[in-house]
Amino acid sequence: HNIPMAYGSYQELCTDPNIDIVYIASLHPDHKAHAEMALNCGKHVLVEKPMTMKAEDAQYLYDLGREKQLFVGEGMWTRFFPAVEWTRSLLGVDEERCNDNDDDDKNELKKSSIGNVRVIQADFAIDGDDVGPYPTDSLYATELGGGSARVLLPYIVGASMLPFNGRLPDRIAANGIVPADVHDVGDVAIGMTMTFEIDNEEQQQQQHSSPPGNKAIASGVCGFIAESKEETMYAAKHGRITVNGPAHCPTSATLTRKSSGRGNGATSVSDGDPSTKPNTITVEFPLPASTKEIEDSGGIQMPNSMGFMYEIEAVRRLIAAKHYTFPQWTPEESVNCIKIIEKMLSQIVE
C-alpha cells in the first residue's frame, strides 16, 4: 500500500508531529482509551461508530475535544452521502432556513418539503456468514464489543433520529435474539420501535377530523441472520421519501408525492393527470471514482466504500474552518444514539 510510516505503538503514532488527525477504528471497547490518547497528544480524532460502549464515555470525549479545541466526531458516514443530504432537505420545514428567505422563497421551500415525518421504517440485516465466522468474529464476541446492537443498530437509530434534530424519543421498545449457547456472544438480531414528539406547525393547522399530528413512530430491524433489502422510508402528510438500498451508504433516493385519496404509490403522475409533474422521481448520486492505487491493491472490500470520501472531505473542511464537531451528526445525536442503544440492550437481556 506504500504507507510511508509505521509505528511500534499507538502512543508513538499519536506523538508524531506530522500527524494531524487520527481515525480510531480499533475494537469497540478500546475506542475511548485510544481517542483519549490521541486527544491528549493534541490530535483531532474521527472515531468509528459506535463511538464508545457507553454514552457517558462519548460525552467525555466530546467535552475533552471542546476543552482542547480539537475536532471530535463519530464516523456516522451515512449522514454525508448526497442521497441522505437531499432526503434531509425535504423532511419537515426548517423554520430558520425559511426565515432567511423572502415570502416567495419561503413558500417554495414549504412546497418542496413532504412535511413533518410521521412514519419511519428502516432495516439493515446481513448474512453474518458473508463477513466473519461465528462465534469468534468481532461481529459476535461480547468481549470484542460484538452484537448487532453495536455494529448495525446505530444506522437504524440514526436514520430514525434524522427528522428530529437529534432529540431523544419519548418511548423506546425493543426485542431481540440472544443465542442461548455456551459462547459469550451478543445479540444477533434486534427489532425496535420508537415514538417522537413533533414540534409541529402542521399540528396547529390540522383539521379536527384528522388523527393527532404531534407524534411520529419509527420501526426498524437489524441483525446477522439474513440479508434484508436495506431501505429507509420516511412518510409525511405530503408524500414519502425512500433512501434506496444500501441505505447506510446510498447512491439514490426516491420521492413519492402524495396524491389525493388512497394508493398514492400506484400512480406515476399526480391525480392521474399526465400534464402534471411525475408523482415519483428517483435522484441518483454516483459515487466518487476509485483510484488506480486502490484497484491495484485489491479494490474495495465493502459496498460503496468510496463514499467515505464525503465524510473525509467534511472533516477536512470543518477543521480548516476551526469547527470541531459535525453539524450533520452532532454530539447530541451521537450521545443520544448510544443512550437509545443502551436502553434497547437492557430490554432484550432482561
Side-chain angles (χ1 to χ4, degrees), residues 28-334:
H28 300 160
D30 297 325
H31 284 184
K32 179 193 174 185
H34 293 160
E36 183 180 30
M37 177 195 301
L39 287 166
N40 284 330
C41 290
K43 310 303 182 187
H44 306 289
V45 296
L46 176 63
V47 187
E48 176 56 41
K49 59 90 201 141
M51 188 164 185
T52 55
M53 299 290 283
K54 297 179 180 179
E56 63 191 53
D57 292 338
Q59 187 63 61
Y60 167 75
L61 293 176
Y62 284 117
D63 291 343
L64 184 60
R66 188 180 305 110
E67 173 190 325
K68 294 181 175 293
Q69 294 191 302
L70 293 168
F71 180 87
V72 178
E74 182 179 21
M76 183 61 77
W77 69 317
T78 305
R79 286 293 179 93
F80 303 89
F81 277 78
V84 175
E85 297 269 27
W86 181 80
T87 296
R88 188 174 201 162
S89 73
L90 298 178
L91 301 182
V93 177
D94 185 334
E95 292 299 327
E96 182 176 342
R97 186 163 59 120
C98 283
N99 292 336
D100 290 338
N101 292 275
D102 60 30
D103 288 341
D104 288 342
D105 288 339
K106 189 183 300 186
N107 289 333
E108 194 60 36
L109 283 169
K110 290 185 177 182
K111 281 193 295 184
S112 67
S113 166
I114 63 170
N116 290 312
V117 173
R118 309 284 181 84
V119 177
I120 303 163
Q121 293 177 313
D123 68 279
F124 187 5
I126 65 174
D127 184 339
D129 290 340
D130 293 335
V131 182
Y134 179 88
T136 56
D137 192 85
S138 61
L139 281 182
Y140 308 107
T142 301
E143 66 177 355
L144 304 180
S148 66
R150 306 292 186 191
V151 178
L152 301 177
L153 189 55
Y155 292 113
I156 301 300
V157 173
S160 299
M161 295 171 73
L162 181 68
F164 308 113
N165 297 317
R167 65 179 178 272
L168 287 167
D170 52 10
R171 297 187 68 182
I172 300 169
N175 201 345
I177 300 172
V178 181
D181 56 27
V182 296
H183 306 297
D184 184 18
V185 298
D187 62 279
V188 295
I190 288 179
M192 67 88 186
T193 58
M194 300 186 288
T195 60
F196 293 87
E197 294 278 354
I198 297 176
D199 295 329
N200 194 344
E201 183 179 297
E202 289 176 10
Q203 178 192 352
Q204 300 167 10
Q205 299 173 353
Q206 71 178 10
Q207 299 175 3
H208 292 298
S209 60
S210 298
N214 65 332
K215 292 279 190 178
I217 188 165
S219 64
V221 64
C222 66
F224 302 132
I225 54 179
E227 185 171 300
S228 67
K229 193 172 184 180
E230 202 207 326
E231 293 180 338
T232 300
M233 186 277 296
Y234 301 95
K237 197 73 171 174
H238 307 301
R240 65 179 181 270
I241 299 176
T242 301
V243 181
N244 299 314
H248 79 290
C249 52
T251 58
S252 69
T254 299
L255 166 65
T256 301
R257 291 288 183 191
K258 175 76 166 68
S259 303
S260 59
R262 281 278 291 111
N264 61 33
T267 58
S268 60
V269 293
S270 178
D271 294 323
D273 181 354
S275 67
T276 61
K277 294 180 180 179
N279 196 46
T280 299
I281 63 168
T282 296
V283 181
E284 303 279 350
F285 299 92
L287 289 167
S290 186
T291 67
K292 183 178 185 302
E293 290 80 6
I294 290 173
E295 297 308 312
D296 288 347
S297 70
I300 295 298
Q301 300 302 307
M302 292 291 181
N304 296 352
S305 288
M306 286 307 298
F308 276 111
M309 289 293 295
Y310 302 127
E311 181 180 69
I312 292 166
E313 280 298 292
V315 172
R316 184 187 62 78
R317 290 192 302 269
L318 287 164
I319 292 175
K322 294 184 167 47
H323 292 294
Y324 299 131
T325 60
F326 284 131
Q328 296 93 337
W329 180 245
T330 65
E332 180 185 19
E333 286 179 290
S334 172

